[in-house]
Amino acid sequence: MDTTLTYFRKSAFSRDALVYAGDLDTQPAEGTLPSPVYYLDVGSRHINLCRNATQVTSPLLACKRHGMLGRSATIRGDITSSAHRNGTFSNAWTFVYMAEEFKWSIARWSNRWTLVDGRGNTVAGFERASFRASKIGTLSIMPGHPEHLVWLIVLTCELVHRTVKSSERAAHGS
């Protein structure tokens, strides 16, 4: 059975995200169940994957973007990985886990992103929410992957989301 996670903005003007287990339509009120399974601390040059908002100083994974345009990244934590954008004008990213490349691909004119492994097998899919104030989207991860890979998928999905949002702002001149 797939692991399904739903991303919500922490608040209306925050970059940070809360990630809940399951496919949720609305964000649970703070202090109610279910609680978020992950907290994404998002800055202009970093994304930290944490168990919750109180563990920002000791994240599970810390991603730091490099270069003037942030086209590459280093990911550190219990594992070390690297990531890079797939091309000059691409919003998609590729990352490495256990010497295998995983590539996010974004279909044009679609709110759906797909993650494939080095053999071309679909590993995960993300469905971006449309016209929702707080919901970012839903991530489905195929079963049978180690926890560290799941962490990388959750983190790099947000990296792709931030890149897409940045490209949209640039295209609309804001």
Side-chain angles (χ1 to χ4, degrees):
M1 182 177 213
D2 292 357
T3 298
T4 303
L5 302 168
T6 304
Y7 290 61
F8 288 95
R9 285 183 198 81
K10 179 182 172 191
S11 63
F13 300 105
S14 176
R15 292 182 187 178
D16 296 351
L18 301 170
V19 182
Y20 294 86
D23 185 358
L24 307 176
D25 286 327
T26 58
Q27 184 172 359
E30 189 173 334
T32 64
L33 295 176
S35 298
V37 291
Y38 299 113
Y39 176 79
L40 289 157
D41 168 40
V42 181
S44 61
R45 304 298 269 177
H46 77 273
I47 300 173
N48 294 330
L49 175 68
C50 309
R51 283 271 182 224
N52 58 53
T54 63
Q55 295 181 339
V56 174
T57 57
S58 57
L60 300 169
L61 294 176
C63 174
K64 182 177 179 185
R65 293 174 65 176
H66 303 287
M68 192 168 80
L69 300 175
R71 295 189 182 282
S72 64
T74 304
I75 302 168
R76 298 191 191 285
D78 285 351
I79 58 167
T80 301
S81 183
S82 62
H84 63 273
R85 282 178 73 170
N86 293 344
T88 305
F89 300 107
S90 174
N91 289 329
W93 284 78
T94 297
F95 68 91
V96 177
Y97 174 74
M98 302 294 283
E100 182 174 8
E101 274 196 351
F102 291 81
K103 179 180 178 180
W104 282 102
S105 60
I106 304 169
R108 288 216 184 265
W109 316 113
S110 172
N111 284 334
R112 180 127 177 96
W113 311 329
T114 305
L115 178 67
V116 295
D117 63 18
R119 296 175 302 283
N121 300 315
T122 299
V123 175
F126 183 77
E127 185 77 30
R128 189 172 168 201
S130 298
F131 309 111
R132 297 280 178 104
S134 65
K135 185 175 179 178
I136 296 169
T138 304
L139 174 67
S140 297
I141 304 171
M142 303 303 167
H145 299 292
E147 185 176 41
H148 289 121
L149 179 56
V150 171
W151 293 352
L152 276 168
I153 293 168
V154 171
L155 185 137
T156 57
C157 185
E158 181 63 17
L159 186 60
V160 171
H161 174 253
R162 299 307 322 162
T163 305
V164 168
K165 292 292 285 181
S166 178
S167 292
E168 290 171 348
R169 280 192 305 273
H172 293 97
S174 57

